[in-house]
Short mmCIF file of all heavy atoms in Angstrom, two decimals:
data_model
loop_
_atom_site.label_atom_id
_atom_site.label_comp_id
_atom_site.label_asym_id
_atom_site.label_seq_id
_atom_site.Cartn_x
_atom_site.Cartn_y
_atom_site.Cartn_z
N ASN A 1474 -36.06 -5.16 -17.35
CA ASN A 1474 -36.93 -4.01 -17.55
C ASN A 1474 -37.91 -4.17 -18.71
O ASN A 1474 -38.92 -3.46 -18.79
CB ASN A 1474 -36.11 -2.75 -17.76
CG ASN A 1474 -35.05 -2.89 -18.83
OD1 ASN A 1474 -33.99 -3.45 -18.56
ND2 ASN A 1474 -35.33 -2.43 -20.04
N ARG A 1475 -37.64 -5.10 -19.66
CA ARG A 1475 -38.55 -5.24 -20.81
C ARG A 1475 -39.97 -5.58 -20.36
O ARG A 1475 -40.93 -5.26 -21.05
CB ARG A 1475 -38.05 -6.31 -21.76
CG ARG A 1475 -37.15 -5.83 -22.90
CD ARG A 1475 -35.83 -5.37 -22.43
NE ARG A 1475 -34.83 -5.29 -23.50
CZ ARG A 1475 -33.60 -4.89 -23.31
NH1 ARG A 1475 -33.20 -4.53 -22.09
NH2 ARG A 1475 -32.72 -4.85 -24.30
N TYR A 1477 -41.63 -4.23 -18.24
CA TYR A 1477 -42.33 -3.02 -17.84
C TYR A 1477 -42.45 -2.00 -18.96
O TYR A 1477 -43.02 -0.93 -18.76
CB TYR A 1477 -41.61 -2.40 -16.65
CG TYR A 1477 -41.59 -3.31 -15.44
CD1 TYR A 1477 -40.57 -4.23 -15.27
CD2 TYR A 1477 -42.61 -3.26 -14.51
CE1 TYR A 1477 -40.56 -5.09 -14.18
CE2 TYR A 1477 -42.62 -4.11 -13.41
CZ TYR A 1477 -41.59 -5.02 -13.25
OH TYR A 1477 -41.58 -5.87 -12.19
N ALA A 1478 -41.95 -2.31 -20.15
CA ALA A 1478 -42.06 -1.39 -21.27
C ALA A 1478 -43.53 -1.15 -21.59
O ALA A 1478 -44.31 -2.10 -21.67
CB ALA A 1478 -41.33 -1.96 -22.49
N PRO A 1479 -43.95 0.09 -21.76
CA PRO A 1479 -45.38 0.38 -21.96
C PRO A 1479 -46.02 -0.42 -23.08
O PRO A 1479 -47.11 -0.99 -22.90
CB PRO A 1479 -45.39 1.89 -22.25
CG PRO A 1479 -44.17 2.41 -21.54
CD PRO A 1479 -43.15 1.33 -21.68
N LEU A 1480 -45.40 -0.49 -24.25
CA LEU A 1480 -46.01 -1.22 -25.36
C LEU A 1480 -45.93 -2.72 -25.15
O LEU A 1480 -46.75 -3.48 -25.69
CB LEU A 1480 -45.35 -0.83 -26.68
CG LEU A 1480 -45.65 0.60 -27.17
CD1 LEU A 1480 -44.99 0.85 -28.52
CD2 LEU A 1480 -47.16 0.84 -27.26
N ALA A 1481 -44.95 -3.19 -24.36
CA ALA A 1481 -44.90 -4.61 -24.02
C ALA A 1481 -46.07 -4.99 -23.13
O ALA A 1481 -46.67 -6.07 -23.29
CB ALA A 1481 -43.58 -4.93 -23.33
N ASP A 1604 -38.51 -2.62 -31.36
CA ASP A 1604 -37.69 -1.78 -30.48
C ASP A 1604 -38.50 -1.11 -29.38
O ASP A 1604 -38.14 -0.04 -28.88
CB ASP A 1604 -36.92 -0.72 -31.28
CG ASP A 1604 -35.72 -1.33 -32.01
OD1 ASP A 1604 -35.23 -2.37 -31.55
OD2 ASP A 1604 -35.30 -0.77 -33.03
N PHE A 1605 -39.63 -1.73 -29.01
CA PHE A 1605 -40.47 -1.27 -27.92
C PHE A 1605 -41.03 0.13 -28.14
O PHE A 1605 -41.57 0.73 -27.21
CB PHE A 1605 -39.71 -1.35 -26.59
CG PHE A 1605 -39.36 -2.77 -26.21
CD1 PHE A 1605 -38.14 -3.32 -26.58
CD2 PHE A 1605 -40.26 -3.56 -25.52
CE1 PHE A 1605 -37.83 -4.63 -26.26
CE2 PHE A 1605 -39.95 -4.86 -25.20
CZ PHE A 1605 -38.74 -5.41 -25.57
N ARG A 1606 -40.97 0.61 -29.36
CA ARG A 1606 -41.52 1.93 -29.67
C ARG A 1606 -42.64 1.87 -30.71
O ARG A 1606 -43.36 2.85 -30.89
CB ARG A 1606 -40.42 2.89 -30.17
CG ARG A 1606 -39.48 3.33 -29.07
CD ARG A 1606 -38.78 4.62 -29.39
NE ARG A 1606 -38.04 5.12 -28.24
CZ ARG A 1606 -38.54 5.89 -27.28
NH1 ARG A 1606 -39.82 6.24 -27.32
NH2 ARG A 1606 -37.80 6.28 -26.27
N LEU A 1621 -44.84 4.77 -29.46
CA LEU A 1621 -44.40 5.47 -28.24
C LEU A 1621 -43.37 6.50 -28.69
O LEU A 1621 -42.25 6.15 -29.10
CB LEU A 1621 -43.79 4.48 -27.25
CG LEU A 1621 -43.38 5.06 -25.89
CD1 LEU A 1621 -44.64 5.45 -25.10
CD2 LEU A 1621 -42.57 4.04 -25.10
N ARG A 1623 -42.11 9.19 -26.92
CA ARG A 1623 -41.17 9.70 -25.92
C ARG A 1623 -41.26 8.85 -24.67
O ARG A 1623 -42.13 8.00 -24.54
CB ARG A 1623 -41.48 11.16 -25.60
CG ARG A 1623 -42.85 11.39 -24.98
CD ARG A 1623 -43.15 12.87 -24.83
NE ARG A 1623 -43.26 13.52 -26.13
CZ ARG A 1623 -43.50 14.81 -26.30
NH1 ARG A 1623 -43.63 15.59 -25.23
NH2 ARG A 1623 -43.60 15.33 -27.49
N GLY A 1624 -40.32 9.09 -23.76
CA GLY A 1624 -40.32 8.35 -22.50
C GLY A 1624 -39.47 7.10 -22.57
O GLY A 1624 -38.79 6.81 -23.56
N SER A 1625 -39.52 6.34 -21.50
CA SER A 1625 -38.68 5.14 -21.34
C SER A 1625 -39.30 3.99 -22.11
O SER A 1625 -40.21 3.31 -21.64
CB SER A 1625 -38.56 4.78 -19.85
OG SER A 1625 -37.82 3.60 -19.68
N ALA A 1626 -38.79 3.75 -23.33
CA ALA A 1626 -39.38 2.73 -24.19
C ALA A 1626 -39.19 1.34 -23.64
O ALA A 1626 -40.06 0.47 -23.79
CB ALA A 1626 -38.78 2.82 -25.59
N LYS A 1627 -38.06 1.06 -23.00
CA LYS A 1627 -37.76 -0.29 -22.54
C LYS A 1627 -38.08 -0.50 -21.07
O LYS A 1627 -37.66 -1.49 -20.47
CB LYS A 1627 -36.29 -0.62 -22.82
CG LYS A 1627 -35.99 -0.73 -24.30
CD LYS A 1627 -34.56 -1.16 -24.57
CE LYS A 1627 -34.29 -1.28 -26.07
NZ LYS A 1627 -32.90 -1.69 -26.35
N GLY A 1628 -38.80 0.44 -20.47
CA GLY A 1628 -39.39 0.18 -19.18
C GLY A 1628 -38.55 0.47 -17.95
O GLY A 1628 -38.91 0.05 -16.84
N ILE A 1629 -37.43 1.17 -18.09
CA ILE A 1629 -36.59 1.44 -16.92
C ILE A 1629 -37.34 2.29 -15.90
O ILE A 1629 -37.38 1.96 -14.70
CB ILE A 1629 -35.28 2.12 -17.35
CG1 ILE A 1629 -34.41 1.15 -18.15
CG2 ILE A 1629 -34.50 2.60 -16.12
CD1 ILE A 1629 -33.13 1.74 -18.67
N ASP A 1630 -37.96 3.37 -16.33
CA ASP A 1630 -38.71 4.23 -15.40
C ASP A 1630 -39.83 3.45 -14.72
O ASP A 1630 -40.03 3.55 -13.51
CB ASP A 1630 -39.31 5.42 -16.15
CG ASP A 1630 -38.29 6.51 -16.43
OD1 ASP A 1630 -37.25 6.51 -15.77
OD2 ASP A 1630 -38.55 7.36 -17.31
N GLN A 1631 -40.57 2.67 -15.52
CA GLN A 1631 -41.72 1.94 -14.99
C GLN A 1631 -41.27 0.85 -14.01
O GLN A 1631 -41.95 0.59 -13.01
CB GLN A 1631 -42.52 1.32 -16.14
CG GLN A 1631 -43.20 2.34 -17.04
CD GLN A 1631 -42.27 2.96 -18.08
OE1 GLN A 1631 -41.10 2.60 -18.19
NE2 GLN A 1631 -42.80 3.90 -18.86
#
Side-chain angles (χ1 to χ4, degrees):
N1474 52 279
R1475 268 69 163 179
Y1477 298 89
L1480 290 183
D1604 284 335
F1605 296 92
R1606 288 203 172 274
L1621 185 69
R1623 63 186 65 181
S1625 177
K1627 293 184 179 180
I1629 292 177
D1630 282 342
Q1631 294 80 3

